[in-house]
Amino acid sequence: MLLNILTGIAVTLLCLFLQASVVAIGLRRYVRFKVGRTGGPSRRVDFLFLSTVMVMMMGGLLAQIVIWAVLFMLIGEFDDFKTALYHSGVNFAGLGYGDIVMSEDRRLLGPIEAANGILMFGLAAAMMTAAVMDIIKHNSRRLQPPAAKEDEEAQRSGEGR
């Protein structure tokens, strides 16, 4: 049991590192995107940006599902990768169908993977929400009348003192 817990923690830490890397890359690209952005709001640019964020987050989540499936194969829990991947996806998403059950010795890895998945889906949702909110803020600022922009800038410069 202790070996399963330690293995689960190690794989969870690997997944956390992977998702943190995806988020860091996404944030770095976003800063470049925001600094280089000039002109008015563009639905196409906003769509491309949000799509990129979603694809990056989904890619990170899918990579973690694969990592868990590889673990299940390495410990001999499943005979084929397709079954290991399916079981991993069900665990990671917290669905818990129960149509495929791991052996009693390794069953504890399922809830550990589910906890990892819930945390990572929350992180991905937070990242996408932050991106949407920033685009909304950027677009609403661009659409304000000039007098409102001046008031906002004056208010911001007063906060910096």
Side-chain angles (χ1 to χ4, degrees):
M1 183 168 102
L2 182 60
L3 182 60
N4 288 328
I5 292 172
L6 293 175
T7 302
I9 289 172
V11 174
T12 298
L13 289 174
L14 175 64
C15 289
L16 290 171
F17 176 76
L18 173 70
Q19 196 68 14
S21 298
V22 169
V23 169
I25 291 167
L27 288 174
R28 206 173 290 128
R29 292 191 185 278
Y30 176 67
V31 168
R32 286 186 196 139
F33 162 78
K34 189 169 181 170
V35 167
R37 187 171 180 182
T38 58
S42 165
R43 286 186 183 145
R44 185 172 123 337
V45 171
D46 291 346
F47 173 79
L48 288 173
F49 171 67
L50 289 175
S51 297
T52 301
V53 169
M54 286 186 248
V55 167
M56 286 180 67
M57 293 296 108
M58 192 62 171
L61 295 172
L62 289 173
Q64 293 173 70
I65 291 170
V66 169
I67 289 169
W68 280 96
V70 168
L71 170 68
F72 296 151
M73 292 295 295
L74 289 175
I75 62 175
E77 191 61 36
F78 298 105
D79 294 331
D80 62 299
F81 187 72
K82 186 172 137 182
T83 303
L85 186 64
Y86 168 77
H87 183 73
S88 178
V90 169
N91 279 345
F92 198 83
L95 296 173
Y97 288 152
D99 55 341
I100 299 174
V101 181
M102 293 186 8
S103 65
E104 197 171 316
D105 293 346
R106 306 248 170 63
R107 201 173 294 168
L108 188 58
L109 290 172
I112 294 172
E113 183 183 7
N116 180 197
I118 291 167
L119 179 64
M120 294 301 102
F121 277 111
L123 179 62
M127 179 76 174
M128 287 185 273
T129 301
V132 169
M133 294 304 295
D134 197 61
I135 286 175
I136 290 170
K137 186 170 78 173
H138 176 79
N139 286 337
S140 67
R141 206 177 296 138
R142 296 261 186 212
L143 296 173
Q144 286 178 350
K149 285 181 189 177
E150 291 170 8
D151 291 342
E152 186 179 312
E153 286 182 24
Q155 192 176 31
R156 240 187 288 143
S157 65
E159 290 173 358
R161 291 182 194 165

